[in-house]
Amino acid sequence: MQSRYALRFDTGERKGEKVALSNAGVTVGRKPGNSVQLLDSSVSGRHAEFVLDGARVLLRDLGSTNGTKVAGVRVSERALEHGDQILLGNVGATFLDLDRPEPAAAAPRAAEPGAEDAESDEIDLEAPDVATRASAPRAAAPERESSDAVRTISADKVARSSKLSWVGLGGMLAAAGIGGGGWWWINSQQASTGAATVREVSATPGNLLGASFSFEDVALDGEDSPWNNDAGAAAVFSVEAGSRYSGVDGLGALLAGGQAALARSKAFPLSGAKGFALAAQVRTNGGAAARVGLEFESSTDAAARTSAWSAPLSGADEFQPLEWTCAVPAGFDRVSVLLAARAGAGEGRVDVDDVVLLSRADSAGALALDSFQFVPLGAPATAAVLFKIERTLLSDLHVREADGERAALAVSTSDVGFALALGEGGGRLLSVRADGVLTTSAPATLGQGGYRTHESSFERENVTRVVLGAGKDLVALRFEAPVRVTSRAEGAGLRLEVQLGAARALSVQTSFKAEREAALSLAREAREADRKSEYGAAIALWNRLRDEAPFDSELLAEADAARARLAELGLGELRALRAELERARFFRLVELYRQSRAQAQSIAQRFAGGEIEAGARSIVDEVSRELEVLEADLKRHERARLQSIAAALAASNSERLAQRVREVLEQRSAEAGAQGGGR
């Protein structure tokens, strides 16, 4: 039999779809396995259920994060009536009794708790019948939760009241008296029940967030919404009455263990601001922590999107102000406000309300050295940006702890640039993007194995220094202990990620006077050694320049050219020497062997200290071994020949000549023995 009741979705991916409510009940949630799956991020895994109870349908919230509302009132269980408008998170639906005419589809509006009907939102002070409506009896108000608020007369309506007649003013005062009595009565009821006192929303002059600062009538996660949840976060913020500090609504996030939520305001132009003061009313419980922050953007991608955060606030069972200041770095043209919540090992909750962002005329904390400016962001700083005459060189410089939280950076100036204390502990990761002129030259690293240049994507262990840029636009990142560096292209820049290991300090070096002087001295010594044909010494000096002071592009180019020329010279001499050695082997020429050995010894001396010397020494050893065998063989044949001559002379009765040959044999044997003993 067809079900009498149905649920019609008015917003979301199922808009226009009707779902029959059967006797078995219907569950709604984001996870598979529910009767109806809704993929909207504001919907919990198992959000709510619809249960047939005799002749009625009950709606039960299943402990959802963002709540279930009927006619704008958050409910845990509610018997539904035909036409009831329901909000499941941010997804709107209408409950239908199919035996009755279907109401027109309309997106449900999240009415503020405490609003009794359309007329009770505000008292229109300019309406001609205001006195009549203020004193007229009202229908009984629907039952509300103890945290619901009453509306107050809006400031703009009060301002316009000066134009009213005395009759209208009398009506206004009567309405205000009724409103004030209602306010006193609800507050007294809340005091008796332990509920929080309702505070009137108080706007701060100059607040850049405009009307969205207190989350009244704010819808999240829409194209034109003033606030949106980050799609990558495991949990979400939602607008609800239980999270308010003032007015009707605040922003709240319920978090499971280890979860985080992130809300971002719409971006707006910086408009020449030099700094910001950011404050919010924050409440935390269950081990959760909250932060506020700012995210700076460059519409031209001249710098990476850069965010900075306040210190975390936790253990605040009652609302308390979280206040923070931040400089505005050059190179950016838009900014957004960030609100973050993170739970510890267990479940926690964060509530935020009354967010105020004020611009400042000063940029406190910026450090300068020559034409470079290093801007720490936040107090304490959790990010930094490096500029040179308002051109971005390094952006989004920050350190993440092993748990993903930002580490505070202690920043100061030094003789050669800017010094950063990076904290301690394993798992820390330094992340920074090189921008602009720093990407026009190949990045280079120094460390175990010397100086190396790289493509944009590389990975290297045991690095002590990263060199970026060239000439007057040169920056080096110097680490106090070896680190592992990974690099990749990112937009118009180069993203570097550094596993810090034991490194606790970083120097952002912008001045290279001492290194350039050392490079000039090494270059002079190398040229002099080259002139004296001390090629090994020249190569060693050029190598030192590359590995110790590679900060002058012209000298670095000269070093590379000289090293290549001298290496080719040495290799050419070794090739010619080997050709002579092959000729000596073919003709078994003892004297040519000896000349080759002498030439190899000369090459080894002139190219001492490098690969050329090693090659020449190898030839010396090779020739010596072959010459020893050849000489021994020739001597053996020569002795046999002389012995034959002596025997022939003795047989022909030329004893005197035979004796002379025997003396020569003895002399050569003695010489051979002496040479063998000296080897």
Side-chain angles (χ1 to χ4, degrees), residues 132-466:
T132 303
R133 289 194 297 107
S135 59
R138 293 197 178 273
E143 185 177 340
R144 297 188 294 267
E145 297 180 31
S146 62
S147 62
D148 291 346
V150 295
R151 285 284 191 173
T152 60
I153 302 171
S154 63
D156 60 332
K157 297 291 179 68
V158 173
R160 297 204 308 268
S161 67
S162 60
K163 303 176 183 178
L164 298 179
S165 65
W166 284 103
V167 175
L169 180 59
M172 180 193 75
L173 292 174
I178 294 172
W183 183 272
W184 172 86
W185 183 83
I186 289 179
N187 280 349
S188 65
Q189 293 301 306
Q190 288 177 331
S192 65
T193 60
T197 301
V198 177
R199 298 175 179 84
E200 185 175 358
V201 175
S202 178
T204 301
N207 189 352
L208 298 175
L209 292 173
S212 69
F213 81 100
S214 193
F215 307 102
E216 312 300 315
D217 295 317
V218 168
L220 268 65
D221 300 329
E223 185 175 345
D224 298 322
S225 298
W227 293 90
N228 285 278
N229 280 294
D230 187 274
V236 296
F237 281 96
S238 62
V239 176
E240 48 192 73
S243 299
R244 71 186 174 199
Y245 171 77
S246 68
V248 174
D249 285 320
L251 198 66
L254 182 62
L255 311 159
Q259 283 188 337
L262 173 64
R264 179 183 287 105
S265 76
K266 66 179 182 180
F268 50 88
L270 285 170
S271 303
K274 299 297 183 182
F276 286 113
L278 178 60
Q281 292 292 337
V282 178
R283 180 174 61 195
T284 65
N285 59 53
R291 291 180 187 258
V292 297
L294 293 175
E295 184 174 70
F296 299 95
E297 301 177 42
S298 167
S299 57
T300 63
D301 196 34
R305 182 176 291 186
T306 300
S307 58
W309 294 92
S310 71
L313 174 67
S314 60
D317 294 334
E318 300 295 334
F319 276 104
Q320 59 180 268
L322 176 54
E323 299 173 343
W324 180 70
T325 59
C326 184
V328 174
F332 298 86
D333 49 29
R334 294 173 67 80
V335 66
S336 301
V337 174
L338 303 175
L339 305 174
R342 180 184 289 272
E347 184 179 274
R349 183 176 181 85
V350 169
D351 299 308
V352 183
D353 202 3
D354 291 0
V355 184
V356 177
L357 180 67
L358 301 175
S359 63
R360 297 166 48 139
D362 62 316
S363 180
L367 306 175
L369 182 67
D370 299 327
S371 56
F372 293 89
Q373 188 179 48
F374 194 77
V375 183
L377 301 179
T382 57
V385 184
L386 178 69
F387 302 93
K388 183 179 182 183
I389 317 176
E390 297 203 349
R391 291 180 303 160
T392 310
L393 300 181
L394 298 175
S395 57
D396 192 29
L397 188 157
H398 65 274
V399 173
R400 296 195 298 272
E401 303 282 6
D403 60 1
E405 290 288 339
R406 293 285 186 95
L409 303 175
V411 185
S412 60
T413 56
S414 68
D415 293 340
V416 297
F418 308 95
L420 288 84
L422 306 176
E424 301 182 6
R428 289 166 302 127
L429 179 75
L430 169 70
S431 184
V432 61
R433 195 177 94 163
D435 297 303
V437 294
L438 294 191
T439 65
T440 57
S441 301
T445 56
L446 286 84
Q448 184 178 336
Y451 175 88
R452 296 182 193 172
T453 57
H454 306 275
E455 299 293 333
S456 58
S457 295
F458 71 89
E459 183 174 339
R460 186 181 179 188
E461 301 275 358
N462 298 314
V463 173
T464 56
R465 196 176 303 189
V466 179

